[in-house]
Amino acid sequence: MSDVLIPAPPVAVPPEGLSIGDAARAVGLSVDTLRYYEKEGLLLDPAPRDGGGRRRYGEHDLAWLAGLVMLRETGMSIADVRVMADLSRRAGTEAERLVVLERHRERVVAEMERTRRHLAALDTKIASYRAVTGTSDDDQHPQDEGTR
């Protein structure tokens, strides 16, 4: 059950793991951001080190990082990601994790509703200006047809 939120690693990970640069690139982070996340306790475990003291990230690390990136892209706060990481380190905390995710989902839905209202207001404003200027949607954005 602890792997419920952990997606498959986004790249093949060799047995010796990936360097910090390769791991960051694989999940779409900068090295600085990955170091920050590690310093903030957002990873499940500290990255193991090789003989030279360099971090090496394995499949489980990459999978967790991919999930962390997804949560951050949904707007989840660092504080809530930290709570998820803390809870995920302990067995039997699925109910608490569910509460964090449901609360965050409510915030995401509210933000989507705000964004929909803003988009509707923009569409109204654009339609007004098109009416005044005598232009149509086709005149301005013919490449956008597939997105409507």
Side-chain angles (χ1 to χ4, degrees):
M1 188 57 112
S2 65
D3 292 341
V4 171
L5 289 180
I6 299 179
V11 298
V13 180
E16 68 276 8
L18 295 175
S19 69
I20 191 168
D22 289 340
R25 228 177 342 277
V27 297
L29 296 173
S30 70
V31 170
D32 289 339
T33 300
L34 180 47
R35 283 189 180 121
Y36 171 76
Y37 285 173
E38 194 168 346
K39 183 183 105 190
E40 290 298 312
L42 305 183
L43 279 61
L44 287 182
D45 302 299
R49 306 281 178 142
D50 65 15
R54 294 175 296 265
R55 293 172 176 90
R56 302 304 294 182
Y57 295 87
E59 280 188 28
H60 191 71
D61 300 314
L62 266 286
W64 177 261
L65 284 167
L68 188 157
V69 167
M70 181 274 303
L71 291 173
R72 289 291 293 143
E73 286 177 348
T74 68
M76 184 176 274
S77 69
I78 293 289
D80 280 348
V81 172
R82 185 178 300 109
V83 168
M84 288 297 293
D86 290 343
L87 290 169
S88 295
R89 290 185 195 103
R90 300 191 320 265
T93 60
E94 290 79 11
E96 292 95 328
R97 290 182 239 173
L98 176 60
V99 168
V100 173
L101 291 171
E102 287 177 334
R103 224 179 29 231
H104 180 61
R105 183 184 188 285
E106 290 170 7
R107 288 189 296 266
V108 169
V109 168
E111 183 62 30
M112 287 172 57
E113 290 303 317
R114 261 189 309 279
T115 300
R116 281 190 192 104
R117 287 192 308 273
H118 294 173
L119 183 58
L122 283 170
D123 286 344
T124 299
K125 184 71 75 178
I126 288 168
S128 298
Y129 279 97
R130 284 194 180 132
V132 168
T133 61
T135 59
S136 71
D137 188 36
D138 293 338
D139 296 336
Q140 299 299 311
H141 303 287
Q143 72 278 8
D144 290 347
E145 285 305 307
T147 62
R148 295 187 187 264

